[in-house]
Amino acid sequence: MTERRLQRGGGRPLWKQLQEELVRRLRAGEFDDVFPGELALVEDYQVSRHTVRQALSQLRADGLIVAERGRQPRVATAPEIRQPMGALYSLFSSVEASGLTQHSVVRALDIRADGVIASRLDLEASIPLVYLERVRFAGDEPLALDRVWLPAAVAESLLDADFSHTSLYAELAARTGLRLDHGREDIRAVNPTPAERALLHCPAGAAVFSINRLAHAQGRPLEWRHTVVRGDRFALAAEFSAHQGYRLTSATGSNLA
């Protein structure tokens, strides 16, 4: 049996190193048949059982393994975030409802001009727009690349917001009093660009959902959004019945994001 070594004395906790090493091996498919138990990991990595349990606890929190008391851990089915169609929805809320923690890495938050986007918002081409770009995470894994444009005349106060763990629409309502009341989305399955695949850690060959949204408030266009969501971690749902036929679902008391 090959002993696997972690870096000792380097300042990085052993449990964190072990967690990252196990994630790497999971992605490489080493545990498709069986996931090693605690004692096997203690022997393989020459660490304490406490260190192993800390690493496994993080893997459980990220939805990567299932580890019940008295049973050997096993690889979890990839968590699927389900979203009802037909509602202005919150990706923020959908992720947390699935039992995963969510946060975002903000890649851009500024004011810029974009003639194409301005035309979609029925604005002059040179009108300044607030632009927000985030990578949205579910657990430790990227879920979506989100790009949003809003007229700066009404949304400039958003430049002071911390969007690492908050809802865009909640901030918009709190700072401007505006709430989106209707809109349209176009959703299609596409192959991600190389840059999108790298940002989202998409598995080889996996497609993504490309979602374009135009949302209105008080009778005028307010938001244009383009979101790329990993197809292996996200699903859309609709409802049908013999009496009502097929209909898109709406989220009761839906929060907006």
Side-chain angles (χ1 to χ4, degrees), residues 12-223:
R12 297 181 64 244
L14 289 177
W15 75 265
K16 184 62 176 176
Q17 293 182 52
L18 177 57
Q19 179 247 339
E20 291 171 351
E21 169 70 2
L22 293 176
V23 169
R24 184 193 65 76
R25 294 177 66 189
L26 271 167
R27 289 177 179 163
E30 291 188 35
F31 303 138
D32 287 351
D33 294 328
V34 63
F35 192 90
E38 289 184 6
L39 293 179
L41 291 172
V42 166
E43 183 176 349
D44 284 353
Y45 288 94
Q46 294 297 294
V47 294
S48 70
R49 197 162 185 174
H50 177 70
T51 295
V52 168
R53 286 176 174 172
Q54 281 185 291
L56 295 183
S57 177
Q58 187 61 52
L59 293 181
R60 283 198 303 272
D62 292 339
L64 297 176
I65 65 168
V66 177
E68 300 168 351
R69 184 178 296 275
R71 297 187 178 183
Q72 184 164 322
R74 65 182 187 276
V75 177
T77 302
E80 186 177 74
I81 293 89
R82 290 187 174 272
Q83 176 57 56
M85 297 173 66
L88 286 168
Y89 62 83
S90 169
L91 188 59
F92 179 102
S93 298
S94 295
V95 170
E96 297 203 330
S98 73
L100 296 174
T101 57
Q102 77 84 34
H103 71 279
S104 298
V105 173
V106 177
R107 289 169 50 83
L109 178 57
D110 55 42
I111 292 182
R112 61 182 67 183
D114 188 310
V116 173
I117 302 299
S119 68
R120 292 170 178 164
L121 295 170
D122 290 339
L123 298 171
E124 295 289 337
S126 61
I127 290 292
L129 305 171
V130 169
Y131 175 68
L132 170 62
E133 179 176 324
R134 297 173 285 177
V135 177
R136 317 287 296 272
F137 283 73
D140 274 352
E141 281 292 298
L143 173 65
L145 175 61
D146 203 29
R147 303 179 181 100
V148 185
W149 294 260
L150 306 102
V154 296
E156 188 170 1
S157 61
L158 294 176
L159 294 175
D160 297 326
D162 177 7
F163 288 108
S164 61
H165 188 83
T166 191
S167 161
L168 169 63
Y169 293 167
E171 289 289 336
L172 184 68
R175 293 169 181 265
T176 71
L178 290 171
R179 297 180 182 277
L180 301 187
D181 45 48
H182 71 284
R184 173 186 173 87
E185 284 190 341
D186 294 311
I187 304 169
R188 64 183 63 190
V190 302
N191 291 319
T193 66
E196 290 167 344
R197 186 178 296 281
L199 277 173
L200 297 177
H201 299 174
C202 292
V208 296
F209 289 106
S210 175
I211 306 174
N212 288 326
R213 175 192 295 184
L214 177 63
H216 295 71
Q218 300 178 0
R220 59 175 175 170
L222 185 65
E223 175 202 41

Side-chain angles (χ1 to χ4, degrees), residues 212-252:
N212 288 326
R213 175 192 295 184
L214 177 63
H216 295 71
Q218 300 178 0
R220 59 175 175 170
L222 185 65
E223 175 202 41
W224 176 265
R225 182 186 295 238
H226 178 233
T227 305
V228 177
V229 190
R230 280 176 54 169
D232 63 322
R233 302 195 69 198
F234 183 78
L236 294 161
E239 295 180 357
F240 66 92
S241 72
H243 299 292
Q244 295 179 325
Y246 185 91
R247 67 183 180 89
L248 300 179
T249 64
S250 61
T252 303

